[in-house]
Amino acid sequence: MVLFGGSNAGDSIFYNDVWEYDGVRWTPRTTVNAPSPRNGAVMAFDPGRGRMILFGGYQLAGAFPIFYDDTWEFDGLTWVRLTPSTRPVSRETATFAYHRGRGRLLLFGGGRAAGSVVLNDLWEWTGTDWQYVNAISPPLARWLHSMVYDSGRDKLVIYGGLGYGTDLNDTWEYSAATQTWSNVT
């Protein structure tokens, strides 16, 4: 497992370090050309390219947040900032998972400024560019939610999170074959 960045509890110090967990212990890794320090970025492994892909996050400049819409690739030593022609709007605390059926990473939701902006858009990372997915019946906008890929059923599954001023405890599944979200009760 690979961990990038974050911040302390008061958001006064932001990090851009990399740690790896081998099932027993956390080990810091020395890297080259790391992204700027940030919290709330999403990162997932792209097995087709053999690289970790990082998107977004934020940090504070004084009392004001700076939100990122940049995409980075990490090979275990060196970070490379990618320059896709299309990209999602800046955000933090979205979810990002590899969809084996599509052979792509999918990004859902997230927000900005402690939930003053909350999103419910879905994007695919093709390996070189971002593509917006015009999905049918998307869940309510949310941030701080969880998402995994269920390989047995070839679906993305999201749970919970925070909406506009409300805690969400719902479960949704996304079928890439039909580009449809379904609420699971």
Side-chain angles (χ1 to χ4, degrees), residues 12-30:
S12 60
I13 301 172
F14 288 79
Y15 302 96
N16 67 343
D17 50 350
V18 173
W19 291 76
E20 290 181 357
Y21 182 68
D22 64 7
V24 177
R25 70 184 59 80
W26 285 98
T27 306
R29 296 294 178 206
T30 302

Side-chain angles (χ1 to χ4, degrees), residues 13-176:
I13 301 172
F14 288 79
Y15 302 96
N16 67 343
D17 50 350
V18 173
W19 291 76
E20 290 181 357
Y21 182 68
D22 64 7
V24 177
R25 70 184 59 80
W26 285 98
T27 306
R29 296 294 178 206
T30 302
T31 66
V32 177
N33 195 36
S36 61
R38 62 188 70 192
N39 191 13
V42 292
M43 188 166 66
F45 184 68
D46 182 346
R49 297 181 47 85
R51 306 280 194 268
M52 298 294 293
I53 304 297
L54 179 137
F55 178 80
Y58 78 98
Q59 70 170 297
L60 295 177
F64 301 100
I66 300 169
F67 293 94
Y68 296 104
D69 65 355
D70 50 354
T71 304
W72 291 79
E73 182 177 82
F74 180 60
D75 67 5
L77 175 64
T78 303
W79 289 95
V80 175
R81 184 173 181 171
L82 304 175
T83 55
S85 59
T86 305
R87 61 184 180 246
V89 298
S90 60
R91 67 191 69 206
E92 51 130 338
T93 60
T95 51
F96 202 28
Y98 181 71
H99 190 293
R100 189 174 68 196
R102 292 281 303 143
R104 295 185 175 177
L105 294 169
L106 277 84
L107 178 139
F108 177 78
R112 290 193 300 253
S116 64
V117 174
V118 184
L119 306 162
N120 71 339
D121 53 349
L122 182 65
W123 291 82
E124 286 187 341
W125 173 248
T126 68
T128 57
D129 206 358
W130 288 98
Q131 290 181 345
Y132 173 72
V133 179
N134 190 16
I136 299 166
S137 303
L140 291 173
R142 65 193 64 219
W143 61 303
L144 289 171
H145 53 289
S146 298
M147 181 171 75
V148 296
Y149 173 67
D150 181 341
S151 61
R153 297 181 309 119
D154 194 35
K155 295 183 185 285
L156 285 177
V157 181
I158 65 168
Y159 172 76
L162 299 175
Y164 282 107
T166 184
D167 293 342
L168 301 168
N169 65 353
D170 51 352
T171 302
W172 289 78
E173 295 180 340
Y174 174 73
S175 169

